[in-house]
Amino acid sequence: MLSAEKVVANQIVVPGSGIYKLVLEGEVAATARPGQFVHLQVGLATDPLLRRPVSIAGIDRERGIVTLFYRVAGRGTALLAGVGEQETLSVIGPLGNGFTLPQAGELLLLAGGIGIFPLFSLMDAVDRSKVKVKVLWGAENRQLLEAAGRQRLVDLALDYEVSTIDGSMGQPGLITNLLESYLRKRSLESTQQRISTVACGPPVMLKAVTEICLREGLPVEVSLEERMACGVGACRGCVCTVRAAGGTLERRRVCKDGPVFKGREVVWDAEG
Amino acid sequence: MLSAEKVVANQIVVPGSGIYKLVLEGEVAATARPGQFVHLQVGLATDPLLRRPVSIAGIDRERGIVTLFYRVAGRGTALLAGVGEQETLSVIGPLGNGFTLPQAGELLLLAGGIGIFPLFSLMDAVDRSKVKVKVLWGAENRQLLEAAGRQRLVDLALDYEVSTIDGSMGQPGLITNLLESYLRKRSLESTQQRISTVACGPPVMLKAVTEICLREGLPVEVSLEERMACGVGACRGCVCTVRAAGGTLERRRVCKDGPVFKGREVVWDAEG
Amino acid sequence: MQKVDLSTQLAGLKLKNPVLTSSGTYGFGEEYGAFYDPGFLGGITVKGITPKARLGNPVPRLAETPSGMLNAVGLENPGLEVFLNAYLPRLEALKTAVIVNISGFSLDDYALMAEAMPEESCIAALEVNISCPNIKDGGMAFGTDPRSAEEVLRVTRKHTKLPLIAKLSPNVTDITALAKAVANGGADIISLINTLLGMRIDITSQKPILANTMGGLSGPAVLPVALRMVYQVYAAVKLPIIGMGGISSWQDAVEFMLAGASAVSVGTANFVNPLAPLEIIEGLEEYCRQHGYAAVREIVGLAHR
Amino acid sequence: MQKVDLSTQLAGLKLKNPVLTSSGTYGFGEEYGAFYDPGFLGGITVKGITPKARLGNPVPRLAETPSGMLNAVGLENPGLEVFLNAYLPRLEALKTAVIVNISGFSLDDYALMAEAMPEESCIAALEVNISCPNIKDGGMAFGTDPRSAEEVLRVTRKHTKLPLIAKLSPNVTDITALAKAVANGGADIISLINTLLGMRIDITSQKPILANTMGGLSGPAVLPVALRMVYQVYAAVKLPIIGMGGISSWQDAVEFMLAGASAVSVGTANFVNPLAPLEIIEGLEEYCRQHGYAAVREIVGLAHR
Ligand SMILES: Cc1cc2nc3c(=O)[nH]c(=O)nc-3n(C[C@H](O)[C@H](O)[C@H](O)COP(=O)(O)OP(=O)(O)OC[C@H]3O[C@@H](n4cnc5c(N)ncnc54)[C@H](O)[C@@H]3O)c2cc1C
Ligand SMILES: Cc1cc2nc3c(=O)[nH]c(=O)nc-3n(C[C@H](O)[C@H](O)[C@H](O)COP(=O)(O)OP(=O)(O)OC[C@H]3O[C@@H](n4cnc5c(N)ncnc54)[C@H](O)[C@@H]3O)c2cc1C
Ligand SMILES: Cc1cc2nc3c(=O)[nH]c(=O)nc-3n(C[C@H](O)[C@H](O)[C@H](O)COP(=O)(O)O)c2cc1C
Ligand SMILES: Cc1cc2nc3c(=O)[nH]c(=O)nc-3n(C[C@H](O)[C@H](O)[C@H](O)COP(=O)(O)O)c2cc1C
Ligand code: FES
Ligand code: FES
């Protein structure tokens, strides 16, 4: 759970993108599952103090390697970007519950921006001879799609569609449009396959796609993000709100009870 | 005064000694004088917060290079030891007043432990065709003498004597004994050369050698150390106490008014 | 090599070693079980319990600060009943002293909870939290006025025979006045400090980062303030002290014990280094060995010489 | 590109920009002259002056803490007379607003110094320091009791027409009570915070690091506490505020202004990055430009919306 992982690689993906690929060798890979995350120590001294949560994007159990992608967002990730190969990083993980791995039917992956990262590990893990995988991915613009790994989808020969807000690639507009048209098309084809949906991205996007999925009666799993301190369920800093069986509101810890939740349970914008 | 200096070298001198040689290329060398120091930023974030003062041990004005020696004492110097070649360090300096450079007579250098470091630059700077240089150096043991640069004295063909507390090299005991016997010997030889003395080392040693020098009527300059915040005279955190002309006590800033003071002025163990 | 006696006794609270974990940072004792057996600890302190369950504050509940963090969890907890029925049995299994942190909004709340805590169980002491900055009424208000603080302790004292730890707030002009008040009220032990009230603002949204606007500052940043207060309280009151606030290393722990703490408690440091409490136990032992102390309690208060 | 108006007016104190340097961290305005022309600053605040010269405390006067530092300089200063005769003429040359920080041990001390400060000179305001933690009598005692604080301001007010800045101590239970008191006493402006009382212990010598035992904590570590107090005082009192405590970057300065500070003051950060005040001025200007504010004063207090 706590290990010093060796930094095998830590490079910017596309110059200027601010998105880095970090490859770690150590104990995490042995037990990691898609949808889980690691909690990384980014500084040598007490500032910045807290660890940073980053999703596991790739798992190579045999070589004992996990791959992460991160975007430089603030001080912590900026320091992380300066870590050199062969150095070690203090890592807690794998943490969290992870995605449900479907065994049949269709798996619809919905990604908003860099929300694609945790989905990479799911694409790898799912048995595509039994499960049809479809990816819908919305982003700001083409640059982000390329930097965040569109080529990976091509390499995997995945069925995917993209949308960009500025129209620089794929369908112009939001992922919700992409989703609506896909579902419309699909219902016309009146396929009988059971479909399960997994979504990851910013909260507004998750809320919107969850509403669409629920309306259509599709089960949806969402991967949430929240500021974290402990990462292991001890501080209750990272909660989301769910409506429990009896209808009462409950708090769940994103780090321990999540980060993956059933979309129908999540109460978005909960106050109080 | 504030510059980003390039780290040309940053290596341990003797494995296990904890003493490092740091070579910086940049603006400091152009105006540095023996006895001055630099104020180094050792961290990337706000912890450790303060800069660390380190004496200038070598000045190569032509190549724009200064050499420092530092011992890993705590968190700040430990971080400094991890800085790689070709990286840059934020440096304030050169700071402080520096030693008086004698033009004739004899220069007696008194070093306690790593107090030898600032004296290196003085050895380099003094014109040895006009000034006779003699070094007396006391330390804990042989290892420290070797790690702190005894070979340098040999290479410079300097007249030196050492003492060690554990007797592992030179005269066993304290530098005060070394000094007393040297002065005795010298008075027997009844040399007529004007002698000036410069001392650097821990406070107890400085106090003891100053008392001996004053008793013998020898002028002595001492290089003091004190915890520093600003390094430029603005905070008054680093003071020492001197007895001014009229006999009244005054505080002087080690960073700005020093670090070199006339031994006869300094009030040791001043309270209040 | 000589064995150092790490055991400590603070009034009626016996500990196998002087290292505890702090309320709100250690869940209900199970979360760090994946890293080590909590039985190695001197004891653990559970999250603040209130009579009724609380959802706590909305998110964001956390913000980072230089060498510190703010939290505004707002005393989210399962409530007294669920604690007794669901959590306490699991705590029994941990084989370590359990300190239950109780927080109230009225004197009756404290009385009710003190009364309800079994005197024969793994519960080794009650920590009376009169210092939580993250709830609107009660909480810190009790802890910043000496008369109310005394009253809370007096009332709680009447309803339990368990050792009572009064947890003080650092957000006061004179910590010794509060310490004297809780001593008068019947506290057996004093723990300090709770968090310092602080805030951060998001310069993009131009709003406070925390949904609750303000929160409690903890972590290494507060260490010098906490240490000063332990030092002051040790000189002012005869009660044993549990020192906390920014302790992340054994060196920090030694500072607190020299200042007058008979035991130390590790909070925020758990988040950064889950093994911190164990490293601190080992470091304290080694410090004593190297300095020739047969028992760790010998170093308590030495900085006052 | 549109020019942003950086000028600010706090009651009678007019500043060309809202960035000052703090008392005790900027000497008498000359020490940082090697790095830049102090004329670029909104103003500088000189070291606390007392009626008589003071040697201050013995060394060690400094200790480092996580993201912070402790100082116990103890108001070393040349005294009123030498200040007026030797230092003031040199300050005139700096072409920046000079704020003189005055510290006393009695009401008479404050009266004497207020009376002695020329009303026609580079002195733009007096900062009444009722919050120094590093001296045995007076100092902080004035600043932790609202009635004494009000009295100090009332007396000082009678002896000068210069704008009066009351500098508050953070070592209090309720900062707004102090703010209201100094407002009643006649303060024109409030500055906060002074340092938090803290200490460190050397675990080798087992003694406090500072010769004075305790000292004042400053630097980034205290930022969340300072920001919270600025936010609270802004909501409680109508007087303009000079915010300080851990400001090291323009982002920090924006947080303070959003919280309610009309100007900010840079202290400890000077020691780490001598250019910090200039970088903050530039950053504030850029922030306003990017967010479409024509004047920096427009952002003051926006976090209260
Ligand atoms: C479960 C989980 C998985 C994540 N996976 C990835 C990933 O695969 N790739 C990636 O680029 N990012 C991921 N993030 C977001 C990433 O953690 C933040 O971008 C990062 O913590 C920002 O740190 P900083 O120091 O650069 O920013 P700062 O703003 O300096 O951070 C200040 C504090 O806020 C917290 N914080 C800031 N932004 C976020 C955020 N978006 N989510 C959570 N905490 C935040 C930081 O952890 C830190 O405590 C994930 C977050 C969570 C919770
Ligand atoms: C003018 C001057 C010149 C110096 N020259 C040298 C040199 O050439 N080589 C060398 O090895 N050391 C030198 N020192 C001592 C060196 O500055 C300290 O060893 C260093 O600051 C310790 O930092 P740290 O983080 O490792 O220790 P820590 O104990 O973690 O430091 C904590 C704080 O105390 C201060 N501090 C601790 N020890 C000292 C000390 N002895 N003197 C001053 N401040 C201290 C630090 O600067 C820091 O602020 C010099 C000191 C001064 C004042
Ligand atoms: C996330 C979090 C939750 C906390 N919850 C409580 C609580 O419920 N009751 C309490 O008395 N103290 C609570 N505290 C305060 C801690 O117990 C401790 O007093 C404080 O954090 C200082 O110690 P530290 O700096 O080591 O964390 C909490 C602290 C944190 C960080
Ligand atoms: C070394 C030092 C000396 C100080 N001296 C004074 C003083 O004489 N008068 C005063 O009012 N404040 C004094 N202060 C407090 C600062 O002016 C400022 O209020 C405090 O340091 C918080 O700001 P900062 O964190 O930016 O340093 C001093 C601070 C330091 C660090
Ligand atoms: S981060 Fe502590 S409970 Fe999730
Ligand atoms: S370190 Fe500030 S005056 Fe010397």
Side-chain angles (χ1 to χ4, degrees), chain C residues 32 219-220 246-249 266-277 280:
Chain C
Y32 284 99
I247 297 176
S248 351
S249 67
V266 181
T268 301
N270 292 301
F271 308 158
V272 182
N273 174 14
L275 299 181
I280 291 170

Side-chain angles (χ1 to χ4, degrees), chain A:
Chain A
M1 278 289 275
L2 176 67
S3 56
E5 307 268 311
K6 192 169 95 186
V7 176
V8 175
N10 187 25
Q11 300 146 347
I12 199 154
V13 174
V14 174
S17 65
I19 294 178
Y20 285 72
K21 177 180 177 174
L22 173 64
V23 183
L24 298 175
E25 185 186 320
E27 298 168 21
V28 172
T31 55
R33 292 190 313 271
Q36 291 189 300
F37 67 98
V38 290
H39 213 25
L40 302 173
Q41 188 167 352
V42 293
L44 292 174
T46 69
D47 179 57
L49 183 67
L50 298 174
R51 289 170 177 267
R52 300 299 194 256
V54 181
S55 306
I56 297 172
I59 305 164
D60 184 337
R61 212 159 277 179
E62 266 157 50
R63 292 167 61 213
I65 274 176
V66 292
T67 301
L68 322 176
F69 291 93
Y70 64 91
R71 179 166 56 183
V72 172
R75 285 180 346 126
T77 43
L79 275 174
L80 191 57
V83 174
E85 288 175 19
Q86 305 307 318
E87 291 187 38
T88 56
L89 271 184
S90 169
V91 179
I92 299 180
L95 294 172
N97 54 359
F99 301 116
T100 309
L101 208 63
Q103 302 299 334
E106 180 179 342
L107 175 63
L108 178 60
L109 301 179
L110 305 170
I114 62 169
I116 193 78
F117 296 153
L119 301 180
F120 284 145
S121 59
L122 187 54
M123 297 171 200
D124 286 345
V126 74
D127 182 346
R128 285 200 280 141
S129 66
K130 299 191 187 127
V131 181
K132 173 176 185 297
V133 177
K134 170 85 188 187
V135 180
L136 302 181
W137 186 9
E140 205 66 25
N141 53 38
R142 181 190 186 124
Q143 286 96 297
L144 184 67
L145 289 169
E146 299 296 0
R150 193 188 59 85
Q151 189 56 40
R152 218 178 145 119
L153 305 186
V154 178
D155 296 346
L156 286 172
L158 278 180
D159 179 7
Y160 76 92
E161 288 173 50
V162 300
S163 67
T164 51
I165 292 174
D166 70 354
S168 52
M169 190 177 224
Q171 185 177 311
L174 295 171
I175 187 175
T176 43
N177 306 115
L178 210 57
L179 176 59
E180 296 277 18
S181 29
Y182 177 70
L183 293 177
R184 218 161 23 236
K185 213 168 54 197
R186 197 175 176 280
S187 73
L188 290 178
E189 289 165 11
S190 70
T191 153
Q192 292 305 313
Q193 276 196 305
R194 247 201 76 195
I195 186 169
S196 58
T197 321
V198 172
C200 187
V204 275
M205 171 263 181
L206 290 181
K207 185 183 173 196
V209 299
T210 300
E211 276 165 6
I212 296 173
C213 290
L214 295 183
R215 191 192 69 206
E216 301 292 322
L218 303 179
V220 55
E221 283 190 344
V222 292
S223 178
L224 301 183
E225 280 190 15
E226 190 46 63
R227 286 164 182 262
M228 293 182 177
C230 70
V232 299
C235 76
R236 306 203 79 91
C238 68
V239 297
C240 64
T241 308
V242 301
R243 194 168 299 280
T248 56
L249 294 186
E250 284 182 8
R251 304 279 199 211
R252 294 279 161 77
R253 298 161 298 183
V254 171
C255 66
K256 179 84 177 180
D257 308 316
V260 181
F261 293 89
K262 296 200 165 57
R264 70 173 141 78
E265 285 185 346
V266 176
V267 181
W268 308 93
D269 321 311
E271 280 297 305

Side-chain angles (χ1 to χ4, degrees), chain B residues 52-55 69-71 73-77 114 225-227:
Chain B
R52 300 301 194 254
V54 182
S55 305
F69 291 93
Y70 63 92
R71 178 165 58 182
R75 285 178 349 123
T77 44
I114 63 170
E225 282 192 13
E226 191 46 62
R227 287 165 179 262

